Amino acid sequence: MKIKRFDLIVVGAGPSGLSAAIEAAKSGLKTVVFDENARPGGQLFKQIHKFFGSKEHKAKIRGFHIGEQLLKEADEAGVEVVLNATVIGLYQDHEVVVRLGEEVHHYKADAVLIATGAAENMVLFDGWTLPGVMGAGAAQTLMNLYGVKPGNRVLMLGSGNVGLVVSYQLLQAGCQVVALVDAAPKIGGYGVHAAKVARTGVPFYLSHTIKTVEGEDHVTGVTIAQVDNHFQFIEGTEKHFDVDTVCVAVGLSPMSQLMKMAGCAMEDNPKRGGQVPLLDEYGMTSVPGVFSAGDVSGIEEASSAMIEGRMAGTAIAEYLGFITKEERDRNLEALNNSLSGLRQGMFAPANRGKDIKETEEGIPISQNLLHHGFVTDEEIMRFPGVTHQDRIHPVIECTQNIPCNPCQDACHIHCIKIGDKITQLPAVDTTKTCINCGMCVASCPGQAIFLVNEDEGDGTATVTLPYEFLPLPEVGAKGKALSRSGQPLCDAEVTQVRTAPAFDSTALLTMKVPKEYAMRARFFKA
């Protein structure tokens, strides 16, 4: 049996695997990437939203565009990517066994990187096996890869970032999200993600979970009920919804089976998502030459996975003698600084499970946001991005310390300032004059920035908001302005719709409302 050899074998063509392969190949390693899917890129090609972070983290770029960039980089670096290739074994001496079609092939390398990512968790409830119950990632695959609506009336279980983001994408696909439900007492994901779902009118039910899903051969309804502090149902709190789809977004678990097979030392670490390998400072497991990066070694965002991948590729290049220790350390220092920027703020891995009451600036966090998905009119005024001015001005409803600063870079007039620390709340400099270019609105990954003229002089005000639904309303279209809670607030008329390549498919919709609603109207419904 002939065994083909490489310097590096990467298992998984997702964000971390491709990033590691690129970095290694640039250092001269003969590198191959195996992936069981029909197309590379992992989760990136399902992610149509814009990323958080800073410019170095590819902030304000949509996930699938980042995937395209990585594939181009891999091709230019000479990385061989083999698809529809299921790795079924990792054995002694870095022997990797791969199923290609009906054949089994054996490969060897001087180093192996496991970047297999994570799989969706599932919870059990009556009716969980009915057709129409699916993971949120599966729904995202149907919508964003294949252009198929998962259903018409959908209930989402889970309020982490995946549940919030996919709920919004279900709305974009034309589905009705009847409710967003979570057994936890507080929303688990970014507040800006929750807010953009809430202002479309989707109700949140915290401290609730699914009691039963009804149907014979497919989902026809779902009943939820409130739970107590021990997650036991409270009788008499049941609520029923007619739905044809239930999406489940209750976390991810690392797909670490290959490392167990290889004999790598493992630990059960809930903060990292479950069974993960023990790694040294360079991402190597207890088995010499076997490395790990991305979600398989701890659940984080794709931005972090890409940096981890580049770190692993650099470490492997030094381990195999393609670069010096000095080159490795210099590269790793820059990458570590970049990664540490993403691991700050309320949602940092070190803060998981903590009950944080205030922002880094000492501002009380909106409890209404945590429990209902939106900041109240009274709460919003305490944040530095929300000001009153007698001219058009940005209103930034970013109320949590998350690692993100593209709004600061987008404003060439410097109306918006964040400061040196990427997690600081954005503030508005009232001494600067906004020119209404709209770049801040389009650049915000959380869709949390609005341009407001509180008094047009005729009893009306105008609100410019990010709009990512099709078809776009036409100028002159009449409808309702919705509040932050998604409730109808007042009559509204579209006065302008702006699109531009620089906005990257985020339209800027300007609506006219009575001026007393200028600081409350946050969505347009035709």
Side-chain angles (χ1 to χ4, degrees), residues 32-342:
V32 65
V33 181
F34 294 113
D35 195 284
E36 65 183 356
N37 296 298
R39 59 187 299 181
Q43 303 301 309
L44 287 173
F45 283 93
K46 302 194 299 190
Q47 296 178 338
I48 63 172
H49 56 282
K50 295 177 179 178
F51 274 37
F52 290 79
S54 64
K55 189 179 296 184
E56 64 179 318
H57 305 122
K58 302 184 184 296
K60 77 177 183 179
I61 301 176
R62 298 187 190 277
F64 66 94
H65 287 318
I66 296 173
E68 292 165 352
Q69 292 173 6
L70 285 179
L71 291 179
K72 183 181 177 183
E73 276 190 78
D75 183 60
E76 291 172 347
V79 175
E80 182 180 347
V81 179
V82 183
L83 303 174
N84 296 309
T86 303
V87 175
I88 57 177
L90 173 57
Y91 302 103
Q92 280 187 322
D93 301 321
H94 307 150
E95 183 173 346
V96 176
V97 181
V98 184
R99 190 179 73 229
L100 295 167
E102 299 302 317
E103 298 180 344
V104 173
H105 297 256
H106 293 251
Y107 300 87
K108 280 194 174 183
D110 296 320
V112 176
L113 173 72
I114 306 301
T116 43
E120 290 190 281
N121 296 335
M122 183 54 70
V123 290
L124 306 186
F125 42 77
D126 287 344
W128 75 282
T129 60
L130 277 171
V133 178
M134 66 182 75
Q140 201 176 32
T141 299
L142 286 172
M143 293 185 293
N144 300 341
L145 290 184
Y146 301 108
V148 176
K149 283 174 64 175
N152 292 310
R153 289 176 56 83
V154 185
L155 180 135
M156 176 65 71
L157 178 66
S159 69
N161 277 338
V162 173
L164 296 171
V165 167
V166 175
S167 291
Y168 192 76
Q169 292 175 4
L170 285 163
L171 295 168
Q172 289 177 301
C175 306
Q176 182 181 356
V177 180
V178 301
L180 202 151
V181 178
D182 200 315
K186 294 189 298 186
I187 287 169
Y190 289 175
V192 288
H193 282 322
K196 71 182 184 184
V197 173
R199 63 177 174 256
T200 67
V202 176
F204 285 66
Y205 292 91
L206 279 298
S207 295
H208 283 71
T209 193
I210 293 174
K211 194 167 188 180
T212 183
V213 172
E214 298 102 25
E216 293 295 327
D217 55 2
H218 65 280
V219 174
T220 58
V222 59
T223 297
I224 67 171
Q226 191 173 352
V227 294
D228 60 22
N229 293 337
H230 301 288
F231 298 102
Q232 300 300 307
F233 289 115
I234 299 173
E235 292 300 322
T237 63
E238 291 83 2
K239 302 167 185 67
H240 180 271
F241 300 92
D242 292 325
V243 300
D244 53 32
T245 307
V246 173
C247 285
V248 179
V250 291
L252 304 168
S253 294
M255 296 176 67
S256 53
Q257 295 89 335
L258 278 176
M259 279 174 286
K260 295 178 188 176
M261 178 184 290
C264 301
M266 309 291 290
E267 68 169 343
D268 191 18
N269 189 330
K271 285 195 172 183
R272 293 168 65 190
Q275 284 281 312
V276 292
L278 293 171
L279 304 176
D280 69 12
E281 60 181 312
Y282 302 112
M284 188 161 70
T285 69
S286 61
V287 177
V290 177
F291 292 74
S292 172
D295 279 353
V296 71
S297 55
I299 306 299
E300 289 190 74
E301 299 293 326
S303 303
S304 300
M306 288 185 284
I307 298 173
E308 283 185 13
R310 292 195 182 273
M311 293 173 73
T314 297
I316 292 167
E318 187 280 326
Y319 177 77
L320 298 182
F322 283 79
I323 61 174
T324 65
K325 283 183 169 61
E326 291 73 24
E327 289 175 301
R328 176 199 65 190
D329 292 344
R330 188 165 57 248
N331 291 342
L332 289 183
E333 182 181 9
L335 290 166
N336 258 317
N337 289 338
S338 182
L339 185 58
S340 66
L342 290 174

Side-chain angles (χ1 to χ4, degrees), residues 29 40 95 111 139 242 324 342 352 381 404 466 522:
L29 282 74
E95 183 173 346
D242 292 325
T324 65
L342 290 174
R352 284 177 185 163
M381 294 309 301
C404 192
R522 290 297 176 263

